[in-house]
Amino acid sequence: MIPGATARPVLSGAGQAPCHHGEILQGVFLDDTGRRCAGLVTLPMAGPGSSAAFVRRPGAVPEALTVVPADRTKAARAAALAVAECARRTGQPPCGGELRLTGEIPVGLGMGSSSSDVIAAVRAVADSYGLQLDPATVAGLAVRAELASDPLMLSGRPVLFAQREGRVLEVLGPALPPLVVVGCALGGGAPVDTLSLPVADVADVDRSDVRAYERLRALLRRAVATGDAQLLGAVATASARRGQRALRHPEFDALTALARRAGAVGVQIAHSGAVAGVLFDPAAPGLRHRVRGCLHALDAHGIPATHTFTTGATTAPSPKESPHHGPAHRGVDRPAGPDTPRRPARLPAL
């Protein structure tokens, strides 16, 4: 540095966010006041996620904010909202900038690709201001950007999350029971146009349905408390079956039947996509044989398998750790297209 010169402020930031493997439970639930709320519990998945890099342009009007790839409109909205929030907190005028996104999450399959983009974008903007926004603030910005958000801004603990309001309805426990998940994609892996799915007003949901969702919530709470993979699988299957009222996957009956024959504890399906999983208890005898039988059965029914992975106890990051900030990992841009593309998504080994 030239003697007497002052260091230029850091105007760039990076952020990351994970994906998930669809939902374990989704429906309409009651909050602490008895008010109805749409809510969900996602199945966490380590691996691919979204990375974002943001460069601020002080002096540029806030509207001069660009995003690469250009079709990531939800992430662009999130970045603009995050700029306004961070500028307010730091006493600076809002400005434009450039947001770049990379990631390997297949879009349109219900794995939270848009939420991951949005949350990574918010974190990158905050990082460019030298801030780390708390999860509640990130959730609020994410919901404003995309109307509903998955709980990918949280630590990974199983929570019932009000996706349209960006708030936690219940922390179910420290971790889900360990599971082995044989991932697959229904409908040949064709993306689901989530914007075309009916969005029911929670006020119109029948009271008997709300009671059924609350029973599933109580059972899932017990499954988490006791580490009962069998009970968790039963909840996930019941929730997936209810989801078929809207999704109507033609392979659903075949999937549940082959899961029973393979000795799985149940199935889970993304309620806004085509990704699905056959769930196994890792402590079950003959697990390798069961998983191999499941893979053969999926192939026989023309249901493409994607990836087999495990999930279970996770350790929350310590306050000194900053796992979602710092230099963005290099990734691969997802194919250009709308937020929910119409063409079939290529299925990598996730």
Side-chain angles (χ1 to χ4, degrees), residues 66-188:
T66 60
V67 60
V68 179
D71 65 289
R72 300 294 185 255
T73 55
K74 294 177 181 178
R77 287 198 297 271
L81 291 168
V83 165
E85 175 66 20
C86 293
R88 182 188 65 80
R89 292 188 179 208
T90 57
Q92 302 180 46
C95 64
E98 181 184 71
L99 174 69
R100 288 185 173 269
L101 294 163
T102 56
E104 298 175 323
I105 310 173
V107 295
L109 296 187
M111 297 177 66
S113 60
S114 62
S115 288
S116 187
D117 278 353
V118 162
I119 294 164
V122 170
R123 286 174 167 161
V125 169
D127 192 43
S128 76
Y129 282 88
L131 300 175
Q132 289 191 21
L133 300 177
D134 61 276
T137 299
V138 175
L141 294 173
V143 169
R144 290 172 63 192
E146 58 171 340
L147 302 182
S149 175
D150 294 319
L152 300 175
M153 72 293 297
L154 302 175
S155 65
R157 291 182 301 170
V159 299
L160 179 63
F161 187 74
Q163 70 271 24
R164 300 180 193 172
E165 302 176 25
R167 64 188 180 102
V168 174
L169 298 177
E170 180 182 356
V171 177
L172 297 167
L176 293 173
L179 294 168
V180 173
V181 183
V182 177
C184 59
L186 305 181

Side-chain angles (χ1 to χ4, degrees), residues 174-230:
L176 293 173
L179 294 168
V180 173
V181 183
V182 177
C184 59
L186 305 181
V192 172
D193 183 359
T194 55
L195 297 179
S196 70
L197 295 176
V199 179
D201 188 324
V202 295
D204 295 332
V205 176
D206 191 85
R207 281 185 293 179
S208 63
D209 285 327
V210 177
R211 287 194 296 269
Y213 290 129
E214 283 292 335
R215 285 195 294 271
L216 291 176
R217 172 186 184 176
L219 291 173
L220 183 56
R221 185 190 303 125
R222 185 195 307 170
V224 171
T226 61
D228 191 334
Q230 188 82 34

Side-chain angles (χ1 to χ4, degrees), residues 265-278:
V265 297
V267 301
Q268 59 86 212
I269 294 178
H271 288 238
S272 61
V275 72
V278 182

Side-chain angles (χ1 to χ4, degrees), residues 324-344:
H324 304 302
H325 299 273
H329 297 141
R330 290 180 180 269
V332 179
D333 283 334
R334 295 199 297 277
D339 286 321
T340 305
R342 292 184 177 87
R343 64 180 181 279

Side-chain angles (χ1 to χ4, degrees), residues 28-69:
V28 176
F29 305 89
L30 302 177
D31 69 6
D32 291 340
T33 68
R35 186 172 65 86
R36 293 182 174 192
C37 301
L40 52 78
V41 181
T42 55
L43 179 64
M45 178 183 178
S50 294
S51 296
F54 183 72
V55 178
R56 283 194 286 138
R57 306 292 188 204
V61 296
E63 292 75 19
L65 194 154
T66 60
V67 60
V68 179

